[in-house]
C-alpha cells in the first residue's frame, strides 16, 4: 500500500516540470453546489475541489446535490439517500455496471465501490423518468461515467491531485490518458486515508479508513465510428464504524468490462452498443482488527464474517432515428448475481478461511426497454419509455440466524420466485419563448423487486423469512422548470408519489420465542406510503466578481397504513454560498442550515437504518479559497465547520459502544476541518 502511495505521489511531483504546450485551464473555484443542466438532470464533476471536503467515496460526492443526504456510519462508506429513499430505490451504476455490495449489515453500499476520482462525470437522473438504466429506479439513477475518448493525432494527458486535511486526511489521484487514431489507453489510481476525526466537542469518532483503487482501459478504434474497449478495475480498503460492533477490513472489488460501440451506421441507425461486465465483491468484517476486542453477549469471541457477491451483467442498446425529430432507444439488459457468506463466531479456534462459502441467495433479471423522444416544432418534446423485466430469486438458506435466539429452519428454503415487472413514464417538456428555459411535467411508474437485504437479511412479521415480500410499486408525478439568463439561473423540481407496498424495515419487532418469552426481530413489512417535496437551486451574479448560490431541499413522507410519518426522511435544508471570483483566484463562504425533524417513526426505516428520535436543527459555516497560480495548476483550501459546531444528520445511525470511545446518540459529523488541495492538469 505504501509503495502504491509513494509511486502515486512521486509521479505527481515528477509531472510538475512537464509543461504542456496547450495546458488545460483549471477553474479557480471550489464547488459548493453542482448545477442542473436539463430537466430532472444534475451533473457533477467528481475531479474538482468541493466543499465540504467529501470523503473519497460515491456517497459523499452526492451530498452536495440538493435532495441527497448521507447516512453516516463512520468516516466513509455512508449510504446515499435521495428524497428520503435509500438502498436499491436509488440505482447506482459504475461505468454502466451495477455493483451491489455484499455486507448483510450494509457496510458497503454500491457507492462504497465508487472512487469518484476514477470518473469524469456523475449524473443524477431524478424520479422514475428513464428506463435506460435498469429497473426499480423509483427515486433516482446515479451514473458514475467516463467521457468517451477519441483521438485524431497522438495525444497524452495527465491529471493529478493531492489533498491533505485535518484528522490525518491524505488523498492522491493520478489519471493518465494517451491515444492516437488507432486507439487509446487510460490508467487511473486513487488513494485516500483518514484517522479518527473529532466532533465539534472534541470527542473522537471511531472512523479511520484507508481506501485505494486502480482502473485501466485499452481501446481499439479501427475506424472513426467504432470503439472496442476492454477495461478492468481493482480496489480495496478498510474502514472503522462508529455505529456497530464490527469494522470492515476488506472491501475487495475485481472488475472486468467490455464495450463495443459502432456509430453512424446509417441514416436511421445512429449507434449500436454492447456492454458486458463482471464484478466480484469480497468483503470481510470483524470485531478485533480495527478496535480493541471486547467480549459481549452477542460476540463473546473474535468473530469474522466474509460475504461475497459475484455479478454478471450486460446490455445491448440501439439508438434509432426513425423519423424527423424522433429518437428511439431500444435495448435489452441482463443482470445476475449470487451472494455467499462464510463466518465464524471464534476466529481463534475456527478460522473463517477454513470454512466453505455458503451460497444464500441468487438473483437474476432480464429486461427489454424502449425510450422515445419526439420533438414537436422547436419548443415541444414528448418523451416516453417502457420496460418489462423478468426477475427471479432463489432462497438458498437452509437455516435462518436469529442472533441471540440461535437459529431456525428456513420455511422458504430452496424456494424460487419469479415475476414480471412493468415500468414506464411519459413526460412533456417545453422550451420557453420569453427567456432560455424549460418547463416539464412527467408521470412515471416503477416496480421494484425486493433487494437482498429486504428479502434475505430480514424476517417477515409472521415467519423468520421475508422471502415472500411483495413488489414495491411507485407512481410519481415530477414537474419543474429551469431558467437561465446572463445574470442568473434557477432550477426547481417538485415531486409527489404514492407507493404501494413500500418495503418498510422495522427493528425491535416483538416475536414469541418459545419458552424464553419474546425476542426482538428486524422485519420487512409492506405498507402504503406517500412522499412529496422538491429541490430548488438558484444563482445570481451580483456584480462582475460577486456571485450568490442558493439551494434548498424538502421531503415530507407519510406511512398511510400506520397513519404515521414515513421514517428516515431528512428535514428541510438550505444552503447559501457567496463567492468572489477574479480571473485567477476566488474566495467563498458557505452556510448550510438544516431544520429540526420531529416527523419520526421510531424503529421504522429502510435497509440502512431506522428512526431513533427527533433531531434539532443546526447551521454550519464553511470558508474556501482557490488560486490558479499556473494555467495548469490550482491550489485550493477550506475550513469546513468553521465554528466547530457539534451536530449529527437526522438520518445518521446511532452511536455504538466502542472501547475507548464515548458513545453518542448519533454518529456526529466532523468538527472544524482544515483542508488543502493541489490539482495539476497537463
Ligand atoms: Cu460488513
Amino acid at each position: 500500500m505504501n509503495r502504491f502511495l509513494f509511486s502515486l505521489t512521486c509521479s505527481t511531483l515528477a509531472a510538475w516540470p512537464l509543461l504542456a504546450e496547450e495546458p488545460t485551464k483549471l477553474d479557480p473555484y471550489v464547488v459548493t453546489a453542482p448545477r442542473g443542466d436539463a430537466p430532472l438532470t444534475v451533473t457533477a464533476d467528481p475531479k474538482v475541489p468541493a466543499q465540504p471536503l467529501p470523503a473519497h467515496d460515491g456517497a459523499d460526492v452526492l451530498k452536495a446535490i440538493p435532495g441527497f443526504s448521507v447516512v453516516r456510519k463512520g468516516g466513509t462508506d455512508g449510504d446515499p439517500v435521495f428524497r428520503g429513499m435509500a438502498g436499491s430505490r436509488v440505482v447506482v451504476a459504475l461505468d454502466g455496471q451495477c455493483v451491489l455490495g455484499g455486507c448483510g449489515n450494509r457496510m458497503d453500499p454500491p457507492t462504497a465501490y465508487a472512487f469518484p476520482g476514477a470518473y469524469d462525470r456523475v449524473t443524477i437522473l431524478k424520479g422514475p423518468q428513464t428506463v435506460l438504466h435498469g429497473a426499480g429506479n423509483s427515486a433516482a439513477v446515479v451514473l458514475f461515467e467516463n467521457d468517451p475518448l477519441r483521438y485524431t493525432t497522438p495525444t497524452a494527458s495527465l491529471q493529478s491531485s493531492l489533498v491533505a486535511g485535518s484528522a490525518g486526511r491524505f488523498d492522491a489521484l493520478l489519471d493518465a490518458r494517451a491515444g492516437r487514431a488507432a486507439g487509446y489507453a487510460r490508467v487511473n489510481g486513487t488513494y485516500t486515508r483518514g484517522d479518527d476525526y473529532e466532533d465539534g466537542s472534541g470527542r473522537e469518532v471511531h472512523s479511520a479508513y484507508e481506501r485505494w483503487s486502480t482502473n485501466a482501459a485499452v481501446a481499439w478504434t479501427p475506424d472513426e465510428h467504432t470503439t472496442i474497449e476492454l477495461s478492468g478495475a481493482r480496489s480495496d480498503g478498510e474502514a472503522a464504524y462508529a455505529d456497530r460492533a464490527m469494522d470492515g477490513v476488506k472491501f475487495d472489488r475485481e472488475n472486468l468490462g467490455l464495450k463495443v460501440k459502432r456509430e453512424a451506421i446509417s441514416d436511421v441507425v445512429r449507434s449500436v452498443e454492447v456492454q458486458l461486465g463482471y464484478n466480484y465483491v469480497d468483503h470481510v468484517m470483524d470485531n478485533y482488527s480495527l478496535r480493541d476486542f471486547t467480549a459481549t453477549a452477542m460476540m463473546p469471541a473474535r468473530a469474522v464474517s466474509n460475504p461475497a457477491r459475484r455479478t454478471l451483467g450486460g446490455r445491448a442498446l440501439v439508438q434509432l432515428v426513425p423519423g424527423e425529430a424522433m429518437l428511439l432507444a431500444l435495448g435489452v439488459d441482463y443482470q445476475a448475481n449470487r451472494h455467499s457468506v462464510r463466518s465464524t463466531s471464534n476466529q481463534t479456534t475456527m478460522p473463517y478461511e477454513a470454512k466453505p462459502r455458503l451460497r444464500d441467495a441468487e438473483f437474476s433479471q432480464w429486461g427489454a426497454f424502449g425510450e422515445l423522444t419526439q420533438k414537436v416544432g422547436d419548443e415541444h418534446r414528448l418523451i416516453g419509455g417502457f420496460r418489462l423485466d423478468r426477475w427471479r430469486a432463489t432462497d438458498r438458506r437452509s437455516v435462518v440466524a436469529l442472533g441471540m435466539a440461535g437459529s431456525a429452519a428456513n420455511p422458504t428454503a430452496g424456494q424460487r420466485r419469479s415475476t414480471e415487472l412493468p415500468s414506464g413514464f411519459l413526460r412533456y417538456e417545453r422550451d420557453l419563448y420569453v427567456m432560455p428555459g424549460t418547463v416539464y411535467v412527467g408521470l412515471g411508474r416503477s416496480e421494484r423487486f425486493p433487494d437482498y437485504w429486504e428479502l434475505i437479511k430480514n424476517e417477515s412479521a409472521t415467519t423468520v423469512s421475508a422471502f415472500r415480500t411483495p413488489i414495491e410499486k411507485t407512481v410519481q408525478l415530477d414537474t419543474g422548470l429551469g431558467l437561465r439568463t446572463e445574470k442568473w439561473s434557477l432550477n426547481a423540481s417538485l415531486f409527489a408519489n404514492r407507493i404501494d407496498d413500500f418495503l418498510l424495515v422495522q427493528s425491535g419487532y416483538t416475536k414469541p420465542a418459545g419458552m424464553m418469552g419474546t425476542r426482538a426481530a428486524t422485519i420487512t413489512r409492506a405498507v402504503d406510503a406517500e412522499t412529496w417535496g422538491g429541490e430548488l437551486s438558484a444563482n445570481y451574479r451580483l456584480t462582475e466578481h460577486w456571485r450568490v448560490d442558493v439551494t434548498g431541499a424538502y421531503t415530507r413522507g407519510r406511512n398511510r397504513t400506520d397513519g404515521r410519518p414515513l421514517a428516515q426522511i431528512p428535514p428541510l435544508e438550505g444552503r447559501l454560498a457567496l463567492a468572489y471570483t477574479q480571473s485567477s483566484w476566488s474566495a467563498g463562504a458557505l452556510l448550510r442550515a438544516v431544520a429540526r425533524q420531529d416527523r419520526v417513526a421510531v424503529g421504522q426505516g429502510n435497509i440502512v437504518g431506522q428512526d431513533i428520535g427527533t433531531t434539532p436543527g443546526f447551521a454550519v459555516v464553511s470558508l474556501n479559497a482557490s488560486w490558479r497560480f499556473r494555467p495548469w495548476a490550482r491550489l485550493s483550501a477550506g475550513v469546513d465547520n468553521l465554528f466547530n459546531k457539534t451536530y449529527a444528520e437526522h438520518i445518521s445511525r446511532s452511536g455504538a459502544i466502542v472501547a475507548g470511545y464515548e458513545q453518542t446518540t448519533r454518529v456526529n459529523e466532523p468538527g472544524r476541518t482544515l483542508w488543502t488541495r493541489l490539482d495539476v492538469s497537463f
Side-chain angles (χ1 to χ4, degrees):
M1 190 68 274
N2 284 331
R3 201 177 309 150
F4 173 77
L5 170 61
F6 180 73
S7 55
L8 207 59
T9 311
C10 283
S11 41
T12 307
L13 297 174
W16 268 74
L18 301 171
L19 236 175
E21 284 173 14
E22 289 173 65
T24 323
K25 259 202 165 183
L26 295 168
D27 287 333
Y29 200 62
V30 175
V31 173
T32 52
R35 298 251 176 110
D37 301 322
L40 297 159
T41 307
V42 181
T43 53
D45 181 347
K47 283 196 177 79
V48 297
Q51 187 168 52
L53 176 67
H56 195 72
D57 73 51
D60 256 27
V61 291
L62 299 173
K63 213 172 179 173
I65 296 168
F68 270 99
S69 323
V70 173
V71 179
R72 185 176 282 280
K73 311 159 191 175
T76 185
D77 300 339
D79 249 90
V81 174
F82 184 64
R83 294 172 168 172
M85 295 293 144
S88 55
R89 293 169 185 123
V90 181
V91 167
V92 178
L94 308 183
D95 207 9
Q97 297 172 35
C98 164
V99 183
L100 298 166
C103 183
N105 297 324
R106 202 71 189 171
M107 280 181 181
D108 61 344
T111 43
Y113 298 100
F115 292 76
Y119 301 94
D120 295 329
R121 205 163 358 101
V122 187
T123 305
I124 291 87
L125 307 169
K126 299 178 181 183
Q129 287 286 315
T130 178
V131 294
L132 300 179
H133 307 281
N137 54 309
S138 55
V141 174
V142 178
L143 306 171
F144 288 86
E145 293 174 306
N146 278 309
D147 293 331
L149 295 180
R150 173 68 65 176
Y151 298 96
T152 47
T153 53
T155 310
S157 65
L158 186 73
Q159 200 176 345
S160 181
S161 66
L162 295 171
V163 175
S166 305
R169 179 68 185 272
F170 178 78
D171 290 11
L173 159 79
L174 184 73
D175 187 282
R177 295 154 192 217
R180 51 195 302 161
Y184 61 81
R186 174 167 54 203
V187 182
N188 179 293
T190 73
Y191 172 83
T192 179
R193 73 173 304 283
D195 295 330
D196 289 342
Y197 65 79
E198 287 179 4
D199 72 4
S201 306
R203 280 176 295 220
E204 278 211 347
V205 178
H206 187 56
S207 58
Y209 62 88
E210 184 173 31
R211 287 157 54 80
W212 61 266
S213 73
T214 51
N215 285 257
V218 285
W220 179 41
T221 48
D223 61 54
E224 59 175 321
H225 298 306
T226 310
T227 307
I228 301 163
E229 187 192 87
L230 187 66
S231 62
R234 184 82 199 259
S235 60
D236 201 353
E238 57 178 39
Y241 288 76
D243 67 323
R244 59 193 72 195
M246 279 189 164
D247 303 306
V249 294
K250 185 177 175 186
F251 294 85
D252 187 4
R253 175 189 174 217
E254 284 170 16
N255 160 250
L256 278 175
L258 176 69
K259 242 187 266 182
V260 180
K261 186 169 185 178
R262 180 141 173 83
E263 289 166 285
I265 294 169
S266 73
D267 286 347
V268 176
V269 184
R270 180 187 272 195
S271 70
V272 175
E273 60 179 286
V274 176
Q275 184 177 6
L276 297 170
Y278 161 84
N279 280 284
Y280 190 78
V281 166
D282 191 3
H283 166 61
V284 175
M285 54 182 163
D286 69 33
N287 61 350
Y288 59 88
S289 297
L290 301 181
R291 66 177 70 196
D292 292 335
F293 167 71
T294 324
T296 61
M298 277 290 282
M299 285 186 281
R302 290 166 190 263
V304 186
S305 179
N306 174 209
R309 192 191 302 257
R310 192 203 70 177
T311 307
L312 296 172
R315 177 167 98 137
L317 178 71
V318 188
Q319 304 252 27
L320 302 167
V321 189
E324 192 145 332
M326 193 189 271
L327 185 66
L328 177 64
L330 287 176
V332 289
D333 54 22
Y334 172 71
Q335 197 249 89
N337 71 80
R338 57 188 202 205
H339 189 273
S340 67
V341 66
R342 56 182 178 180
S343 60
T344 180
S345 53
N346 192 334
Q347 175 70 3
T348 317
T349 57
M350 303 173 288
Y352 79 93
E353 296 93 334
K355 294 186 146 195
R357 290 186 190 273
L358 295 177
R359 204 175 296 173
D360 57 353
E362 289 164 22
F363 298 87
S364 71
Q365 166 259 325
W366 267 109
F369 56 87
E371 194 166 301
L372 181 78
T373 304
Q374 172 72 63
K375 271 187 153 185
V376 184
D378 280 342
E379 295 94 22
H380 310 266
R381 283 178 300 280
L382 206 54
I383 301 135
F386 179 76
R387 68 175 290 142
L388 186 65
D389 288 273
R390 183 173 173 82
W391 267 96
R392 179 177 276 184
T394 310
D395 185 352
R396 294 268 176 223
R397 300 165 300 164
S398 51
V399 292
V400 178
L402 302 178
M404 295 274 280
S407 61
N410 178 10
T412 55
Q415 287 191 17
R416 171 178 284 191
R417 55 183 287 206
S418 62
T419 323
E420 273 80 37
L421 313 174
S423 307
F425 73 94
L426 189 65
R427 180 167 80 248
Y428 168 69
E429 296 179 6
R430 187 190 202 288
D431 293 336
L432 301 175
Y433 293 111
V434 283
M435 59 172 66
T438 308
V439 292
Y440 67 88
V441 57
L443 188 67
R445 182 179 187 279
S446 91
E447 293 204 355
R448 187 180 70 86
F449 196 82
D451 58 34
Y452 171 81
W453 295 266
E454 289 157 342
L455 216 53
I456 302 292
K457 187 64 190 136
N458 299 330
E459 300 180 27
S460 72
T462 48
T463 84
V464 296
S465 168
F467 191 67
R468 291 286 154 195
T469 294
I471 306 290
E472 183 174 285
K473 296 153 285 267
T474 303
V475 176
Q476 181 164 311
L477 185 71
D478 279 283
T479 182
L481 87 167
L483 302 173
R484 179 154 298 190
T485 71
E486 286 273 290
K487 263 187 107 63
W488 57 270
S489 76
L490 173 77
N491 270 284
S493 24
L494 294 169
F495 75 97
N497 63 33
R498 286 282 287 260
I499 311 173
D500 288 340
D501 291 325
F502 176 88
L503 301 183
L504 189 79
V505 176
Q506 194 165 328
S507 60
Y509 188 83
T510 308
K511 284 191 165 189
M515 294 201 288
M516 291 174 53
T518 60
R519 65 183 179 91
T522 301
I523 62 161
T524 303
R525 247 183 89 209
V527 299
D528 291 339
E530 63 191 23
T531 64
W532 60 266
E535 301 84 40
L536 175 83
S537 68
N539 70 70
Y540 186 72
R541 196 167 281 283
L542 298 162
T543 68
E544 193 193 337
H545 299 297
W546 286 97
R547 212 181 87 153
V548 59
D549 282 283
V550 182
T551 68
Y554 180 68
T555 301
R556 193 179 172 96
R558 200 166 80 90
N559 173 342
R560 296 167 53 228
T561 301
D562 297 348
R564 301 172 73 174
L566 193 65
Q568 291 285 282
I569 303 284
L572 173 71
E573 85 162 75
R575 286 170 212 228
L576 174 69
L578 192 65
Y580 181 84
T581 318
Q582 285 278 9
S583 62
S584 66
W585 63 275
S586 75
L590 170 70
L591 167 73
R592 174 169 176 248
V594 178
R596 62 175 282 113
Q597 179 61 291
D598 44 23
R599 289 183 55 79
V600 298
V602 174
Q604 296 190 341
N606 49 49
I607 59 168
V608 188
Q610 290 78 41
D611 275 4
I612 54 178
T614 60
T615 39
F618 58 84
V620 176
V621 174
S622 302
L623 300 176
N624 65 69
S626 186
W627 174 38
R628 179 175 60 208
F629 58 99
R630 292 283 184 278
W632 44 271
R634 170 180 56 206
L635 191 65
S636 314
V639 189
D640 299 348
N641 192 359
L642 179 67
F643 299 114
N644 211 14
K645 172 97 185 157
T646 305
Y647 69 105
E649 303 291 344
H650 173 70
I651 57 172
S652 286
R653 305 251 317 165
S654 37
I657 300 168
V658 182
Y661 296 80
E662 192 180 325
Q663 188 181 14
T664 51
T665 310
R666 284 183 179 75
V667 181
N668 286 338
E669 296 293 310
R672 187 182 300 125
T673 304
L674 279 71
W675 56 267
T676 179
R677 173 176 169 137
L678 173 72
D679 291 88
V680 292
S681 180
F682 303 97

